Amino acid sequence: MSKISWKGGALIAPLPPVLVTCGTMEKPNVLTIAWTGILNTLPPKTYVSVRPTRYSYDLIKSTGEFVINLTTSQMVKSVDFCGVKSGRDIDKFAATGFVPEKASIVACPMIAQSPVSLECRVADIVPLGSHDMFIADIIAVNVDDKYIDRDGKLHLERCGLVAYAHGEYFELGKKIGSFGFSVRKKNKNRHN
Ligand SMILES: Cc1cc2nc3c(=O)[nH]c(=O)nc-3n(C[C@H](O)[C@H](O)[C@H](O)COP(=O)(O)O)c2cc1C
């Protein structure tokens, strides 16, 4: 095996292309964000890195709130659309048919079509260069009950979650393991 060495670049893949909603129920906006992830488990903390030129930037900064909405393959065309059109020029909710849904704590809406919406409150803003990183507490998680079974288990594999890799969108594929499976002892009573 041999690797070609390139100069440093933002090439971690896959990433989740999430829809970040901001503003208010009366005047909401939504933009696509791939520079996101989890920073800490307890308390649960996330980040979104946003270019200061985005229309959403001032909305998030002034309200100190946003919602991260996970995206599915059914939503992917609108995910791309919200990442190339600005709320400065159009109402992206009207254009995509996304339905704004009242969040449990924050004033900005969630997207009804999204299977999981995380309500976030900004804790810190870190200017990094091209982007400013909004570090935020995840203060509520809202899950579409159709993905929760009778035992309360969440089945994210049924959502058709989208992954973003090097400029392209993919639907999450088949399950190939689960946390800790590499060291898990086989149940002797099971024959399958
Ligand atoms: C897949 C994808 C990922 C994106 N990720 C980011 C990101 O992490 N940060 C960012 O500032 N813009 C990102 N963008 C660009 C913004 O979504 C885009 O500029 C959008 O039009 C901004 O909307 P607004 O002006 O209504 O805020 C991404 C776009 C796409 C299509």
Side-chain angles (χ1 to χ4, degrees):
M1 274 203 272
S2 71
K3 286 201 172 90
I4 294 167
S5 197
W6 292 341
K7 70 176 170 59
L11 217 175
I12 287 184
L15 295 168
V18 299
L19 286 168
V20 169
T21 40
C22 48
T24 58
M25 284 297 286
E26 294 71 38
K27 205 173 179 319
N29 191 44
V30 48
L31 89 164
T32 306
I33 290 283
W35 295 172
T36 185
I38 293 292
L39 288 169
N40 195 52
T41 309
L42 280 175
K45 280 188 187 283
T46 184
Y47 73 95
V48 290
S49 285
V50 184
R51 279 189 194 259
T53 50
R54 310 294 187 224
Y55 174 64
S56 303
Y57 179 91
D58 288 332
L59 291 177
I60 297 172
K61 193 171 180 177
S62 61
T63 60
E65 293 176 344
F66 59 91
V67 175
I68 292 179
N69 302 272
L70 302 191
T71 60
T72 67
S73 52
Q74 283 189 328
M75 301 162 73
V76 72
K77 204 164 174 195
S78 301
V79 169
D80 188 68
F81 182 85
C82 292
V84 293
K85 292 284 181 187
S86 178
R88 248 182 227 113
D89 310 316
I90 54 157
D91 175 346
K92 288 190 255 186
F93 276 88
T96 56
F98 283 147
V99 177
E101 194 175 32
K102 208 172 164 5
S104 71
I105 302 175
V106 301
C108 43
M110 313 186 284
I111 294 175
Q113 287 94 333
S114 170
V116 179
S117 301
L118 297 90
E119 298 179 45
C120 302
R121 182 162 289 144
V122 176
D124 207 358
I125 305 174
V126 186
L128 294 171
S130 58
H131 292 62
D132 282 8
M133 176 171 60
F134 290 91
I135 296 177
D137 290 292
I138 302 170
I139 53 175
V141 176
N142 305 272
V143 184
D144 187 335
D145 59 8
K146 82 168 172 247
Y147 299 113
I148 301 175
D149 70 18
R150 284 180 185 182
D151 301 323
K153 182 175 160 44
L154 171 62
H155 290 276
L156 275 183
E157 78 282 4
R158 294 180 189 159
C159 307
L161 289 174
V162 178
Y164 183 66
H166 199 39
E168 293 173 332
Y169 305 98
F170 299 85
E171 188 181 82
L172 218 60
K174 70 174 196 299
K175 177 175 150 186
I176 52 173
S178 64
F179 183 92
F181 82 109
S182 62
V183 295
R184 200 170 296 137
K185 295 229 175 21
K186 285 208 181 78
N187 185 339
K188 281 181 194 153
N189 299 321
R190 270 175 55 179
H191 299 290
N192 55 352

